[in-house]
Every structure is written in structure tokens, then in C-alpha cells.
Amino acid sequence: IFGASGDLAVKKTYPALFELYCKGLLPKHANIIGYARSKMSSEAFRKSICKNFNVDAYGDHALQTFLTRLHYVSGPYDTKDGYAELQKKAMELEADGLGPAAPQPANIESNRLFYLALPPSLFGGTAALIKNHCMSTSGFNRVIVEKPFGTDSESYEVLSKQLAGTLNEDQLYRIDHYLGKEMVQNI
């Protein structure tokens, strides 16, 4: 999750992932790596985000188990340096059977989903750096962009062309949380 220490991720994305985990709706061996500019350890990151989780409904054991799946990498969004660290962490988790979730059989693909909870001005560069430094070679790769996708048709076209020049359409998912808000609330 890019923008991992931001308001959207902390207040909405991570609590939703915790709910999905508690309801058995996340893949059994899934781990989540947060990526942001804020410098902190994985332990400090875990402490900073869990205050918004519905622990009363699921219990402390569920929280502690879920937190073992969360990891954090700090780095800039506009240079390859942090992306190399992110790739290293992802490969480390994959080599370890995806960390504490459970050992992974050798024939299972390592799928990666990159969730961009970033300002739209960072989408194009971040997608290019992900493609060049962080894609899985043994499974699928998906990039989800979450934010208002432009302010008008012209800005939408600019963003769309930036991403289309980097990613295949089947790798790209766009969520405009203003346009989709009512639909998602109704689901």
C-alpha cells in the first residue's frame, strides 16, 4: 500500500483489511507491505495504524495475528532507491513462505497487488517505478489507483495516458472514491 502512513490508508484501508482478515476473506498466505516516506520501523507502523481497528468485535488475538502480516518500508516515491528496498522485502517474504502466515508450497505463484493511496500527481511516476523495480515474476501484478482520478476530462486523459504508457489495462484498476462512494456504500 503506497501512502501507507496517510489518512486514507490509516483510517480506511487498513481497518477494512483487518475486517476482511477477521472474516476469512483475505488469501491465507497474504502479507501486506506499507510504503511511505515517513521513516519508521514495521513495529512503529503497526502501532500507529491499529488504533482504528474494530478490535472489540474480533479480539486481541485476531489483531495480534493480523499485525504479523503487516510490514513497512520507507522510501521516496520519485526515485528507485526505496523501490529496491520494497522489492527486497517482498522477495524476502515470498522466500520465507510469505512470512508468518504459513509456509508456501513451491508451486504457488507470488501475486502482487499495489494499492496507490497517493495524490494523483504521483500515479504515473510511481507506476513506472513499480513496473521497473517491484513486479512479481511468478504471478500476476495489479495496480489500484485510489483517489479522484482527475478534476475534469482533460486531467483524466493526462493521468490515463501516463498509466497506459506504463501498465497493461488488465494490470490497472481505477477507483475514484468520490464517484464510487455511493455505489460502494450501497453494496
Side-chain angles (χ1 to χ4, degrees):
I1 297 177
F2 286 77
S5 61
D7 209 42
L8 173 65
V10 172
K11 290 183 178 177
K12 300 291 184 186
T13 307
Y14 283 107
L17 289 168
F18 177 64
E19 293 273 337
L20 291 171
Y21 168 75
C22 290
K23 292 177 179 179
L25 298 173
L26 284 183
K28 184 177 180 183
H29 303 292
N31 277 285
I32 301 161
I33 305 172
Y35 184 92
R37 293 179 293 212
S38 303
K39 298 217 183 287
M40 68 178 97
S41 66
S42 286
E43 293 76 24
F45 174 68
R46 290 179 192 120
K47 284 182 186 176
S48 74
I49 64 166
C50 67
K51 62 183 173 260
N52 293 304
F53 293 176
N54 187 4
V55 179
D56 292 340
Y58 299 105
D60 193 58
H61 177 72
L63 173 65
Q64 296 309 317
T65 306
F66 177 71
L67 291 177
T68 65
R69 295 175 175 229
L70 298 181
H71 310 275
Y72 184 80
V73 174
S74 173
Y77 295 118
D78 58 352
T79 66
K80 67 179 182 177
D81 301 334
Y83 294 81
E85 284 299 313
L86 179 59
Q87 175 70 346
K88 179 180 171 185
K89 183 64 169 176
M91 291 178 71
E92 174 186 300
L93 290 169
E94 291 163 356
D96 289 344
L98 290 177
Q104 172 182 326
N107 62 346
I108 293 183
E109 297 176 332
S110 295
N111 300 319
R112 294 187 186 171
L113 190 145
F114 303 92
Y115 191 95
L116 308 186
L118 298 169
S121 61
L122 296 174
F123 289 167
T126 301
L129 287 161
I130 288 170
K131 182 178 181 180
N132 292 331
H133 302 286
C134 297
M135 294 287 213
S136 172
T137 57
S138 67
F140 70 70
N141 293 281
R142 303 289 187 265
V143 176
I144 299 174
V145 292
E146 160 83 27
K147 290 286 181 169
F149 204 76
T151 56
D152 53 27
S153 61
E154 186 178 311
S155 60
Y156 167 84
E157 286 297 323
V158 169
L159 286 171
S160 205
K161 285 179 184 176
Q162 284 177 343
L163 293 169
T166 303
L167 301 166
N168 298 327
E169 192 59 36
D170 67 342
Q171 295 176 310
L172 183 59
Y173 295 82
R174 299 166 189 86
I175 301 171
D176 186 314
H177 62 232
Y178 291 118
L179 294 178
K181 182 177 179 181
E182 185 177 332
M183 177 184 69
V184 170
Q185 287 176 333
N186 290 330
I187 292 178

